[in-house]
Each structure stands twice: as C-alpha cells, then as structure tokens.
Amino acid sequence: MIRLSKVSKTYQTDKVETLALKDIDLHVAPSEFVCIMGPSGCGKSTLLNLIGLLDRPGSGAIEVAGAPVASYKDKQVAKLRNLTFGFIFQNFHLINDLRVVDNVELPLLYRNVSAKERQRLARAALEKVGLGARMDHYPNQLSGGQQQRVAIARAIVGQPRVLLADEPTGNLDSKMGLEVMDILLKLNGEGTTIVMVTHNEQEARMAGRIVRVFDGQLVA
C-alpha cells in the first residue's frame, strides 16, 4: 500500500541544518495497523507527514498503491492525498463555529459531491463512531473523547484507504483513549490501513506491528 525507499528529510534554516530522517525503508501493507514509536523529536511526525504526502522527502522514493509520487505535480499530490488518506490529530482541529455534522463533511468540499450527499455521508460517518445523537451540537458542547470521535468521523467520511493518526489519544484520559482505540481497531478490522504515532506502549501493542524511530532512523 505504502512504500518508502531510502527516504531522508533535512530541515534547513539560515544557521542550522537538521537531519530529521535518514535512509528510511518502510513498507505498510494493505489493511495493516502500524504504530510508530520513539522519543520526542526523533522524527515520528515527520515520517507520518511524508507517508501522508503532506511533505516531500529530500531524497529517496515514496510509492502509494504502487505509484511513485516523485514526479507528481502539487495538484496531483493533493488529489491523491484527498482520495487516499484520512488524517486524525492530537488536537482535533475542529471549527467551533460549525456544527459537528458540518465539520465532518469538510473533506468532501474538495470533491464533486452534492450538498445533500455530503450531509448524508457525514451523518453516516457520525453514526459509525457512535455520535448519531450529537450531529447538530457544536464542538465546544462535547467532551474531549467525543471531539476526537468527530475528528475520526471527519477522517473516514471520504472512505479513505489509509488513516494516519498522530497521537490521537494524547489529550484524552485512559478510558476515552481506549474508546478511540476500539474505533480504530474496528475500522482496521473492516480493511482500513492505519498508521499511528503514539507514546503509549499499551495502545501500541494493540496494533499489528510496532515501528520504532530513534534519531531519525528506524531501529529494531
């Protein structure tokens, strides 16, 4: 599904050059659940951003579903990203002035989908994460766990093949964190490929495979 070959990434300012990732070789198979672990600042989020085509590598190659993306123009990358990936973040990134259902339909605005169909798909996604009764609420009327469920619904509304989750339980207590993990495990069981960054060993052990990063490199 996703393949990184000898991928490196360097961030450069006027004074400092920082090697974030070096010679990463990683293959994520379809329907796999992979957890990326490592200390703060080791390159985990950079790796996730490269997998999700939010950033380009300095060197090396990335393939998505067998297609090398190095030659893609920005619009092609954006289209592939929108159709292939769903993103879940630690801080939810919901818009407080929009109802929950309107937050969820946002990724569909970049597709040729009618307003009626967007609402239908958004409501179906919310039902899937157990928030059917909260569709017309606003984010600030929900608990942290409920807001993360909204974020998951937004990530899956476009039926992505891959979910990328960056510390999705980091701002939640243990009970709410396990509820979110239960949803991710169910989605994975239905065939969605998941790559998740986490510091939580207990949650990582629920995944099919753990990938550890240290000083920008994969370690056994």
Side-chain angles (χ1 to χ4, degrees):
M1 184 67 219
I2 302 162
R3 187 179 296 276
L4 279 66
S5 302
K6 298 300 179 184
V7 165
S8 296
K9 179 67 178 180
T10 300
Y11 292 104
Q12 192 162 2
T13 66
D14 292 339
K15 297 181 179 180
V16 180
E17 182 177 275
T18 303
L19 181 62
L21 294 173
K22 181 181 179 182
D23 294 335
I24 299 293
D25 288 314
L26 177 64
H27 177 228
V28 179
S31 302
E32 193 173 11
F33 192 150
V34 176
C35 268
I36 300 172
M37 299 195 74
S40 296
C42 70
K44 301 186 302 298
S45 293
T46 298
L47 178 56
L48 201 69
N49 288 342
L50 290 173
I51 291 171
L53 308 181
L54 292 171
D55 200 358
R56 291 181 182 267
S59 61
I62 298 176
E63 295 181 9
V64 177
V69 300
S71 62
Y72 281 27
K73 298 184 183 301
D74 288 346
K75 285 187 177 180
Q76 292 174 299
V77 170
K79 182 178 180 180
L80 179 62
R81 184 171 58 236
N82 181 259
L83 293 174
T84 306
F85 297 100
F87 297 89
I88 307 168
F89 304 98
Q90 180 176 348
N91 293 322
F92 318 142
H93 296 308
L94 303 177
I95 300 174
N96 284 325
D97 292 337
L98 294 180
R99 295 177 305 160
V100 161
V101 68
D102 299 323
N103 268 277
V104 172
E105 74 168 54
L106 285 174
L108 301 177
L109 295 176
Y110 301 95
R111 303 187 187 184
N112 187 24
V113 180
S114 69
K116 183 177 180 180
E117 180 67 359
R118 290 199 305 267
Q119 285 280 304
R120 186 190 72 78
L121 290 170
R123 291 178 181 275
L126 284 164
E127 291 282 1
K128 196 164 191 173
V129 299
L131 286 178
R134 302 279 186 169
M135 296 183 187
D136 294 319
H137 285 62
Y138 288 85
N140 57 15
Q141 296 175 311
L142 305 180
S143 68
Q146 289 170 332
Q147 289 186 58
Q148 191 59 294
R149 288 194 196 187
V150 175
I152 293 173
R154 181 184 58 197
I156 67 174
V157 70
Q159 300 177 331
R161 298 173 67 182
V162 183
L163 275 181
L164 301 180
D166 195 353
E167 297 280 3
T169 65
N171 285 336
L172 307 178
D173 62 33
S174 58
K175 181 176 182 295
M176 289 183 176
L178 288 175
E179 290 177 0
V180 167
M181 286 301 300
D182 284 343
I183 294 173
L184 294 180
L185 288 165
K186 182 178 179 182
L187 291 168
N188 180 242
E190 294 170 355
T192 303
T193 304
I194 298 178
V195 183
M196 182 178 80
V197 167
T198 183
H199 282 98
N200 189 309
E201 286 279 356
Q202 179 185 2
E203 293 174 0
R205 288 195 295 270
M206 298 179 187
R209 177 161 60 111
I210 298 175
V211 172
R212 298 187 186 272
V213 182
F214 186 78
D215 286 347
Q217 295 180 285
L218 297 188
V219 296

